[in-house]
Amino acid sequence: MRFDVLTLFPEIFSGYLGQSLLSKAIERGKVDVQLHDLRRWAKGKHQKVDDRPFGGGPGMVLMVEPVVECVEAVQAEPPPGKLILLTPQGRRLDQRVVEELATHERLILLCGRYEGFDQRILDILQPAEISIGDFVLNGGEVAAMTVIDSVVRLIPGFLGDDESSIQDSFSSGNRWLECPQYTRPRVFRDWEVPEVLLSGDHEAIARWRREQSFLRTRERREDLLDDKPEV
Ligand code: ADE
């Protein structure tokens, strides 16, 4: 799967893209991430990509010309990609949206900075708009990484064990929160691992996990219990 990220700060991604699972997937050719510096499309001797808003007000607005030209140049390359603009005004990202995004062969992620985008960027390019939550980040870069990070988990073979992403919380296969997990040692400062997990009784373990998952969901996220699976 291919991701193109359009940003004023491509360097932000280098540490993230070098992390283990993702860098291995990139090495194996399962994931391709291309970074595009919006500033390369800046016009004039000042290489401006942002300007003050018409009508006044604080902050700077990303200019229509460099952004539209950069997107069009990236879109000109096949295969056609789904264009996504990261913005707090967008549709809220959740696992259903992630599953939908993972069906695309290519995602083009446009990151904003400053106070936002010139409205004509949206009018001309008609991107899907996505927000990662009801809070305001300094820019779309962290949101773009969030999209990439959640989508790549669903690429067959990415995790090594395809089952693990099917079992992820919030997915179509499992709307409930994860159950508690334990590893060695069996006892730490009098805190013991639940007996059932050491029993070797796989049915009892599965039952316990399901029950813990349900109790945790009821306690913390009751809304998920009425969440009907999609048909
Ligand atoms: N850019 C700034 N805040 C954002 C958010 N919450 N989601 C996506 N992009 C953003």
Side-chain angles (χ1 to χ4, degrees), residues 85-89 112 130-141 143:
L85 183 135
L86 286 316
T87 162
Q89 276 89 52
I130 286 186
S131 163
I132 61 163
D134 290 342
F135 43 80
V136 181
L137 301 165
N138 289 315
E141 285 76 12

Side-chain angles (χ1 to χ4, degrees), residues 98-116:
V98 171
E99 286 172 7
E100 195 278 314
L101 295 178
T103 63
H104 295 270
E105 194 181 350
R106 182 183 182 202
L107 297 178
I108 302 172
L109 305 169
L110 177 55
C111 305
R113 281 263 140 182
Y114 314 115
E115 295 306 307

Side-chain angles (χ1 to χ4, degrees), residues 92-96 167-179 210 212-230:
R92 181 97 64 87
L93 187 72
D94 62 17
Q95 195 66 23
R96 284 181 210 193
Q167 286 172 8
D168 278 350
S169 291
F170 317 113
S171 68
S172 308
N174 173 28
R175 298 255 179 251
W176 294 355
L177 300 181
E178 299 288 334
C179 65
R210 193 90 193 124
Q212 291 296 315
S213 198
F214 171 75
L215 293 173
R216 202 178 246 196
T217 310
R218 191 176 64 181
E219 188 184 306
R220 301 181 188 184
R221 290 290 310 275
E222 217 177 356
D223 58 301
L224 293 175
L225 295 177
D226 330 310
D227 208 2
K228 302 273 180 303
E230 269 163 52

